[in-house]
Amino acid sequence: MRYISTRGTAPTLGFEDTMLAGLARDGGLYVPEAVPTLSHSDIAAMAGLPYEEVALRVMRPFVSEAFHEDDFAAMIARAYAGFGHDARAPLVQLGPNHHLLELFHGPTLAFKDFAMQLIGQMFEHTLTKRGDRVTIVGATSGDTGSAAMEAFRGLDAVDVFILYPHGRVSEVQRRQMTTPTEANVHAMAVTGHFDDCQARVKDMFNHFDFRDRVGLAGVNSINFARVLAQVVYYFTAATALGAPHRPISFTVPTGNFGDIFAGHIAKRMGLPIERLIVATNQNDILHRCLTTGAYQPDAVSPSISPSMDIQVSSNFERALHLAYGGDGAAIAQLMDELKAGGFTVSQGALQALREIYASGRVSEEETSATIQDTLARTGELLCPHTAVGVRVAEAQVGPEPMVTLATAHPAKFPDAVEAATGIRPALPPRMADLFERNERVARVDNDLSAIEALIDERRAA
Ligand SMILES: *Cc1c(COP(=O)(O)O)cnc(C)c1O
C-alpha cells in the first residue's frame, strides 16, 4: 500500500515512512492511494470477536508490506492491554435505537489512547529495526498530548515535546501531561490558543533545517496511522448492532476531524454506514461549511468542551481531497486561499461531502442541559464533548441504529459535569493519586525560534 499527499506533489511513501513523516513535505496530509475493501462476509465474520482480532483484520491491508502479521498482532495486544475494560470499546444503550460507544477506558481516559497506544508500539518497532531516533512534536487541545506522553514515555528511540495552550486545558488534562517522570517526555505551555500551537508545529515541519536536524516526527491526528487505528471501533460497534446486514449511523463530537474521518474510511472499506454526523460546539466552522460551503475561520471561542475548540480542522483536508476526486492541485489552491482568510467549496464537492456527512451545532447551554437531562433519563454521566454528540444525535435518530462516540470520561472534565449535575465524577482508582504527583512544565511564548531553541536544549542528543 502506497500513501499520497492530499496536495499531490510530495513523494509517495510506504506505511512506515508515512507514519514517521506525519505531515507531507508539500504541506499536505498523507492518504492511502486506494482504500482496501472488505467483503460482506469478511465484515459479518467480525461480529462478536475480541477487539484485538477485529483490529488486526481491519488494519492488516494498510500495513501488510511494513509489518509481519505476528509482529503486528503483538503490537496490537500490547497497545490495548492497559485498558480498563475487556471490550476496549463497549457499547451502552442510551435510548430507543441510540447507543453510546465508550472510548474512554484507556490510560488517559479519552479516545486518543486507541490510536496513540498503537502508534507508540509501531514507532518503537520501526525505529528499533532501523536503528533510528526521532523527536516527536505535537500540539494538543488537551487529550492528544496526554495520550502521546503516556504512550511514548520511557521509550528509547523517541523524545516527545507537547505544546498545549497555557491555561486552556482542564486540570486533569494538564496534570496528565506534566506529571510523567520519564526524561524523554516534555510538556510545553504556550501563551496562546490551540490553533497557535498547531500552527507552530506546522511551522517546525516546514522548517526543513530544523526538521531534518532533530528528526522531527508528528503524532497529531494528521498522522494517517492515528486515523487508521480509529477505523477499528466503527467496525466493532457496527457489527455488534447488526452490520453488515443493516446500516448504522454514527454521530461524532468533532474538532480536528480525525475521528469522524476514520468513519469515512470505514465506509469506503465497505462498512454500511448510513450517515456520519459531525457534532460541533460553538466553534462551528465545520457545521457552517457543510451548511453553506464557506470555510471561514473565526476567532476561537473557549467552551466547556475544550478538545473541540478549534477553527482550523486539519483532517477536513482529507475529506476535501476525496470530495474533489483526488485533485491535489485543487486542494493546494484551497489551502492557499485559507492562508488568505478562507475558501468556498465547489458545488460538486459540497454535494459529495453532503452524501457522506451531516452536521449539527450545540451551544454551551444545550451542552450542560444535555449532561443533566441524560443523567436524569439514563443514569449515564457524559463528558461535555460526548454531550455535544448526544444532543446532535438525538435530533437525528432514524430507522437505523445511531451510535454516538463517547470521546472522554466525565472525570476528565469534572468542573463542567459538576456545574451541570451537582455531581463531581471520580477518577478511576488506577489514577486516583494524579493530584498528588509533582508537575514539570516549560512555559514558552508563541514564537517559533523560542520553541525550537527549547527543544534543541532538552532533547537527548
Ligand atoms: C480530540 C477530541 C475530540 C475531537 O476529535 P477530532 O478527531 O479532533 O475531531 C472530541 N472529544 C474529545 C474528548 C477529544 O479528546
Side-chain angles (χ1 to χ4, degrees):
M1 166 96 47
R2 305 294 294 175
Y3 293 82
I4 58 168
S5 165
T6 49
R7 300 191 195 174
T9 57
T12 300
L13 301 177
F15 180 79
E16 287 174 295
D17 289 316
T18 298
M19 170 179 85
L20 293 175
L23 196 66
R25 283 184 106 90
D26 59 5
L29 279 63
Y30 277 106
V31 288
E33 200 163 37
V35 174
T37 54
L38 297 171
S39 71
H40 191 272
S41 61
D42 287 340
I43 298 172
M46 290 176 185
L49 293 179
Y51 187 89
E52 284 81 350
E53 179 60 33
V54 178
L56 182 64
R57 295 181 186 195
V58 168
M59 292 188 280
R60 183 168 50 195
F62 293 88
V63 304
S64 57
E65 283 147 40
F67 305 133
H68 290 299
E69 180 156 332
D70 291 350
D71 289 338
F72 189 48
M75 292 179 228
I76 293 171
R78 281 194 296 272
Y80 301 117
F83 277 49
H85 197 298
D86 278 353
R88 311 308 182 214
L91 282 164
V92 168
Q93 189 158 6
L94 273 193
N97 230 13
H98 187 193
H99 304 261
L100 207 56
L101 179 60
E102 292 187 348
L103 301 176
F104 51 68
H105 295 283
T108 68
L109 307 180
F111 81 85
K112 305 292 197 298
D113 289 322
F114 277 89
M116 209 61 85
Q117 286 292 321
L118 183 63
I119 217 181
Q121 296 299 325
M122 295 193 295
F123 263 70
E124 174 160 74
H125 179 91
T126 297
L127 292 169
T128 305
K129 185 173 71 186
R130 295 182 175 185
D132 230 346
R133 185 179 178 84
V134 296
T135 302
I136 288 175
V137 175
T140 187
S141 52
D143 294 329
T144 298
S146 48
M149 293 174 77
E150 183 63 38
F152 286 92
R153 65 193 170 91
L155 296 188
D156 287 335
V158 184
D159 285 300
V160 178
F161 293 86
I162 297 297
L163 280 59
Y164 71 86
H166 177 67
R168 296 184 196 278
V169 299
S170 81
E171 185 171 3
V172 173
Q173 289 177 316
R174 190 193 72 231
R175 286 180 172 275
Q176 284 180 334
M177 291 188 278
T178 58
T179 59
T181 54
E182 289 81 358
N184 71 322
V185 292
H186 310 265
M188 298 169 77
V190 177
T191 310
H193 288 277
F194 168 68
D195 287 331
D196 298 317
C197 298
Q198 184 163 255
R200 293 300 77 74
V201 169
K202 283 192 180 164
D203 290 346
M204 282 184 257
F205 275 93
N206 287 322
H207 182 190
F208 294 140
D209 272 357
F210 179 78
R211 176 176 181 164
D212 294 336
R213 183 157 47 80
V214 306
L216 211 56
V219 295
N220 263 90
S221 64
I222 52 176
N223 194 312
F224 185 76
R226 291 264 312 271
V227 174
L228 177 60
Q230 293 167 185
V231 176
V232 175
Y233 43 71
Y234 287 90
F235 279 89
T236 59
T239 54
L241 293 171
H245 312 294
R246 61 173 177 173
I248 313 288
S249 286
F250 289 89
T251 301
V252 186
T254 295
N256 233 341
F257 213 79
D259 212 8
I260 195 161
F261 186 74
H264 193 162
I265 298 276
K267 186 176 162 96
R268 288 180 75 94
M269 290 180 75
L271 190 65
I273 296 180
E274 183 75 24
R275 290 173 297 159
L276 276 172
I277 304 172
V278 176
T280 76
N281 66 21
Q282 61 198 5
N283 296 291
D284 60 353
I285 184 165
L286 290 165
H287 176 58
R288 284 184 283 122
C289 181
L290 288 166
T291 308
T292 68
Y295 188 89
Q296 292 289 345
D298 232 336
V300 173
S301 158
S303 79
I304 57 171
S305 45
S307 301
M308 294 152 65
D309 286 350
I310 67 180
Q311 285 293 341
V312 177
S313 184
S314 298
N315 280 290
F316 192 51
E317 183 169 336
R318 291 189 160 110
L320 288 169
H321 183 252
L322 288 173
Y324 277 82
D327 181 350
I331 301 305
Q333 164 83 35
L334 293 181
M335 295 303 141
D336 280 345
E337 290 172 29
L338 179 59
K339 274 194 201 128
F343 60 79
T344 300
V345 179
S346 74
Q347 274 307 317
L350 186 58
Q351 200 177 335
L353 285 170
R354 285 180 181 157
E355 276 164 24
I356 312 266
Y357 297 104
S359 65
R361 172 214 205 259
V362 180
S363 71
E364 293 287 273
E365 297 70 34
E366 289 167 331
T367 306
S368 292
T370 303
I371 297 174
Q372 188 178 31
D373 187 53
T374 305
L375 179 65
R377 289 185 299 125
T378 71
E380 296 292 329
L381 263 188
L382 304 180
C383 95
H385 309 77
T386 305
V388 167
V390 165
R391 177 77 175 207
V392 169
E394 277 173 349
Q396 308 222 22
V397 175
E400 77 285 1
M402 173 69 78
V403 177
T404 298
L405 274 54
T407 52
H409 191 287
K412 212 162 180 184
F413 303 93
D415 296 337
V417 174
E418 186 174 17
T421 62
I423 296 171
R424 193 161 183 89
L427 285 169
R430 59 200 156 98
M431 48 192 74
D433 69 338
L434 187 64
F435 287 83
E436 278 113 60
R437 300 180 201 158
N438 288 327
E439 294 193 73
R440 177 171 63 96
V441 59
R443 281 295 308 277
V444 62
D445 286 337
N446 175 24
D447 173 70
L448 182 64
S449 31
I451 293 168
E452 288 182 349
L454 200 62
I455 290 173
D456 261 330
E457 181 191 313
R458 305 260 162 115
R459 79 191 171 91

